[in-house]
Amino acid sequence: MATMTQAGSVNQQMDLLKFSVPMWPTQLRQYTEIPLPDPQCCDYNVETMKIDPAQLDVHGDWSEFIHPSGATYHYNARTKTYTEMNIKACSDQQLQRLESWINASRAKLDGKQWLLVVDPISVGGTEIYPYYYVIPENRIIAWIEPLDGYLLFQECETAWNWNHKRLELEAQYWKHVEYFPHRMEICLSEVRALRVQLNWYRVGEYFDIPAPDQNNLSET
């Protein structure tokens, strides 16, 4: 009986993963589309001497956060998952299916505690799950399946080498940090290292100044 139950669970996970679609941060919709406000929900009044902290909603395990741009997103600390999806507007069935998909996807990671971003959308009445994983210690994004990266790498004329492709994936990692700053930390030494590197890109190569040593940048 236990074996049959395990087989059924595996089959259910495989069925859910059929709706996975790899994406990358610059494909996220919230920062490229301007949502029109609902006139019935607008309240332009401010109470006298109102200085309270922002009131963030919690829906189950999902906490709402406000991006400095004014956009909102949600983070689930239990599953280490970000989404732009309006969790408050989800039915219990939608939310349960989303969390089932998250569990099925994470089961493919062999215990790796990577961060997950998922942006569920409905296509022809079917819910699909565009997603990517974030690995802060490696400053890169990844997926649990092969990715056709034509749209991502097409502007790079020499994208036949992993080093070339990794640079773009690292750039997408920093775009993720920009979009979802909650729990994304960077220490002062890394900021200094990035500043040195950017300064070299800006002027160093034109004056034949040797590129900074990547291994010693954090000590600069």
Side-chain angles (χ1 to χ4, degrees):
M1 180 65 70
T3 302
M4 293 179 62
T5 302
Q6 291 174 352
S9 177
V10 170
N11 289 336
Q12 184 181 23
Q13 289 182 350
M14 294 301 294
D15 288 340
L16 282 169
L17 292 178
K18 292 177 183 177
F19 300 101
S20 302
V21 179
M23 69 166 180
W24 46 90
T26 48
Q27 287 186 311
L28 290 168
R29 296 170 298 154
Q30 183 168 340
Y31 297 93
T32 56
E33 296 182 1
I34 301 176
L36 296 177
D38 183 351
Q40 297 178 350
C41 298
C42 291
D43 180 359
Y44 300 111
N45 300 314
V46 180
E47 297 178 18
T48 304
M49 297 186 179
K50 185 74 169 180
I51 59 172
D52 296 344
Q55 298 176 350
L56 303 179
D57 291 333
V58 177
H59 188 90
D61 293 325
W62 296 90
S63 298
E64 180 188 63
F65 292 92
I66 300 177
H67 188 272
S69 69
T72 60
Y73 62 92
H74 288 80
Y75 178 71
N76 187 321
R78 180 178 60 82
T79 61
K80 300 182 185 299
T81 302
Y82 299 88
T83 185
E84 295 182 324
M85 183 180 183
N86 185 356
I87 296 295
K88 294 179 292 184
C90 287
S91 66
D92 291 341
Q93 184 179 9
Q94 281 179 300
L95 196 55
Q96 183 177 11
R97 185 169 175 80
L98 170 61
E99 293 179 348
S100 295
W101 177 87
I102 292 171
N103 293 334
S105 183
R106 284 202 168 276
K108 305 286 286 185
L109 292 182
D110 298 325
K112 295 181 177 66
Q113 295 301 302
W114 294 352
L115 301 173
L116 172 62
V117 176
V118 58
D119 186 29
I121 58 176
S122 180
V123 177
T126 300
E127 196 91 350
I128 63 172
Y129 300 93
Y131 79 98
Y132 61 87
Y133 279 97
V134 182
I135 307 88
E137 59 270 23
N138 297 99
R139 296 177 183 170
I140 198 169
I141 64 172
W143 302 269
I144 59 172
E145 59 199 281
L147 168 75
D148 180 355
Y150 172 74
L151 292 176
L152 182 59
F153 303 123
Q154 62 179 331
E155 294 184 3
C156 179
E157 297 179 357
T158 57
W160 60 75
N161 186 287
W162 164 243
N163 292 338
H164 301 140
K165 289 179 275 192
R166 196 192 192 287
L167 285 174
E168 178 59 41
L169 297 182
E170 185 175 349
Q172 291 293 327
Y173 164 78
W174 289 112
K175 185 60 68 173
H176 165 83
V177 174
E178 177 186 344
Y179 287 170
F180 301 99
H182 177 66
R183 296 186 64 87
M184 303 302 297
E185 299 177 355
I186 180 170
C187 63
L188 181 59
S189 62
E190 291 178 315
V191 173
R192 289 172 175 169
L194 285 171
R195 185 177 297 157
V196 169
Q197 193 170 17
L198 289 171
N199 284 339
W200 180 84
Y201 286 139
R202 187 169 55 190
V203 299
E205 61 180 330
Y206 295 108
F207 295 96
D208 294 325
I209 300 173
D213 186 344
Q214 297 291 329
N215 295 324
N216 296 325
L217 277 177
S218 60
E219 300 174 1
T220 303

